[in-house]
Amino acid sequence: MNRIYVDNAATTKPSRRATEVLLDVMENNYANPSSLHTPGQLAAVALADSRRKMAEILGCEPREIIFTSGGSEADNQAILTGATLGLRKGKKHIVSTKFEHHAVLHTLQKLEKQGFEVTYLDVHSNGMVRLDELEASLREDTALVTIMYANNEIGSIQPVRQIGEICRKHGVLFHTDAVQAVGHLPVNVQEDNIDMLSLSAHKFHGPKGVGALYIRKGIAPATLIEGGAQERGKRAGTENLPAIASMAAALEEAVEKMDEYNAKLTAMRDRLIEGISKIPHSTLTGDAVERLPGCASFCFEGIEGEALLLLLDQKGICASSGSACTSGSLDPSHVLLAIGLPHEVAHGSLRLSLSHENTMEEMDTVVQAVTDVVAYLRSISPVWADLQKGTKEYVIQ
Ligand SMILES: *Cc1c(COP(=O)(O)O)cnc(C)c1O
């Protein structure tokens, strides 16, 4: 079957260049970068090269980058760093939002059990935090602000630069989960006033299981993994050099082609939004303007998102209801609840996340398939029947 893959926010296909670099390093540069012999030193050089490339793209120094096993680990380490440094000064308050990734939310919940207090800012119906609310939430004892760069379910892009500015003004550390942004938007830690940033290779056509944490010099990183002296003693374990080198190559490629890809992605995304918005009692979720070029996300009244996904899969369309991490659970997405959708509407969600490999023709196929499947599911839905009869009121007009 000819499949249409529109689940790139869950993971992307590794690019040819990323795969070639991965294989090449595995075959030809397999020594341990900590070894003193010549092959070891060649591996150390390749590691340093990767770090330098990534630093250049992010606008930081190589020594400000810690390689991790991915976005989740980087999020954990950043938040633990903010909490540990805060604790030393008696600061036990953290500010975040209601729609962060679970790697952030679950770390914060753990800290709450240890006596930290967390303020979860509203993200309002368009999936955006408000700067005045952020500023009002900051206190004398605020140790850290952690707010994502772009949301993985509804694609809304936060005003990161201004958030960073407010944090600087109040002397509070600012971490951003930029996993959905790096490689897709022009992220620069200096210009964006970021103290700590998480990224993950498999969201920009690199391999899975590798990522990085940018941590501004002068901020002492907390360690999650104790052991050897790798990553300046802040993240032990023999470096995954094939994946790290592949990630650096993938990021370089993503940045080189960003403008070209984003022009194509935006046009395809807007075709989806235009077509799918014609379905009655449906709504676009997330901000209409401040959204990732490749992300189109919707809710449909009167249907179950799970059923929609299964029927789309039968038609060869690989989509998602939102977060890959919550699929399989019966709870609706915390992101959709955070933007104020009631449970029954949040259940009828669909996320279509694109890559440059998709085509306009595919978008037309997807619009037709979604239109047909939503109509079919409504025809057998008791909830839809109640809505039609008027015994139940529509939430989405
Ligand atoms: C995918 C994702 C993560 C997790 O990254 P992994 O590399 O899969 O651990 C964290 N935050 C966001 C916003 C993501 O989209």
Side-chain angles (χ1 to χ4, degrees), residues 351-371:
R351 177 187 70 189
L352 304 166
S353 47
L354 314 176
S355 88
H356 60 274
E357 292 200 358
N358 290 120
T359 63
M360 215 35 125
E361 199 186 344
E362 286 179 342
M363 298 306 107
D364 293 336
T365 308
V366 170
V367 169
Q368 191 57 53
V370 171
T371 306

Side-chain angles (χ1 to χ4, degrees), residues 14-50:
S15 72
R16 171 66 50 196
R17 205 195 292 180
T19 305
E20 279 169 4
V21 170
L22 187 95
L23 277 176
D24 177 54
V25 176
M26 283 184 87
E27 284 179 357
N28 303 313
N29 207 351
Y30 60 82
N32 190 320
S34 299
S35 294
L36 289 178
H37 45 65
T38 302
Q41 289 316 293
L42 289 173
V45 168
L47 183 65
D49 272 353
S50 305

Side-chain angles (χ1 to χ4, degrees), residues 99-331:
F99 80 156
E100 298 297 312
H101 190 274
H102 283 131
V104 167
L105 289 179
H106 291 169
T107 307
L108 293 174
Q109 283 162 16
K110 198 154 98 180
L111 289 172
E112 283 179 298
K113 289 199 187 105
Q114 294 167 13
F116 277 83
E117 195 189 325
V118 182
T119 301
Y120 297 95
L121 296 172
D122 272 326
V123 286
H124 303 280
S125 58
N126 59 347
M128 302 290 280
V129 290
R130 292 200 187 141
L131 296 171
D132 54 340
E133 290 178 5
L134 165 68
E135 192 149 26
S137 75
L138 297 177
R139 313 190 315 210
E140 284 293 303
D141 65 338
T142 306
L144 173 73
V145 168
T146 173
I147 295 178
M148 70 199 320
Y149 207 116
N151 184 269
N152 48 304
E153 292 190 35
I154 57 175
S156 53
I157 302 167
Q158 304 306 308
V160 166
R161 193 166 299 187
Q162 290 94 315
I163 292 172
E165 218 167 76
I166 290 170
C167 292
R168 289 269 156 95
K169 190 170 105 190
H170 292 266
V172 178
L173 284 181
F174 172 43
H175 164 251
T176 186
D177 174 341
V179 172
Q180 290 290 335
V182 170
H184 302 278
L185 301 172
V187 175
N188 182 298
V189 294
Q190 295 303 332
E191 289 167 12
D192 290 343
N193 306 311
I194 296 165
D195 296 316
M196 294 186 276
L197 170 145
S198 311
L199 63 87
S200 177
H202 76 100
K203 302 293 175 71
F204 52 79
H205 303 280
K208 291 166 203 24
V210 64
L213 171 63
Y214 154 75
I215 186 156
R216 190 164 54 78
K217 61 182 178 240
I219 302 171
T223 48
L224 299 180
I225 301 178
E226 304 292 347
Q230 293 92 351
E231 302 301 299
R232 296 185 293 125
K234 301 307 179 190
R235 203 282 183 179
T238 304
E239 300 87 347
N240 186 356
L241 184 59
I244 290 168
S246 175
M247 165 166 68
L251 184 57
E252 246 184 355
E253 187 179 13
V255 170
E256 266 168 42
K257 298 185 177 161
M258 189 180 289
D259 291 343
E260 178 199 332
Y261 286 174
N262 280 352
K264 184 177 177 194
L265 288 171
T266 306
M268 291 192 294
R269 177 199 71 188
D270 291 346
R271 176 82 67 108
L272 287 178
I273 294 175
E274 191 198 324
I276 291 175
S277 298
K278 289 189 183 133
I279 298 175
H281 305 285
S282 69
T283 185
L284 179 73
T285 53
D287 197 78
V289 179
E290 295 298 326
R291 66 184 301 130
L292 288 169
C295 179
S297 54
F298 309 90
C299 276
F300 306 99
E301 190 140 15
I303 64 157
E304 284 291 332
E306 299 267 290
L308 175 58
L309 291 184
L310 292 175
L311 292 179
L312 287 176
D313 184 49
Q314 283 180 8
K315 290 173 180 277
I317 295 167
C318 313
S320 157
S321 57
S323 160
C325 318
T326 42
S327 56
S329 107
L330 285 176
D331 292 332

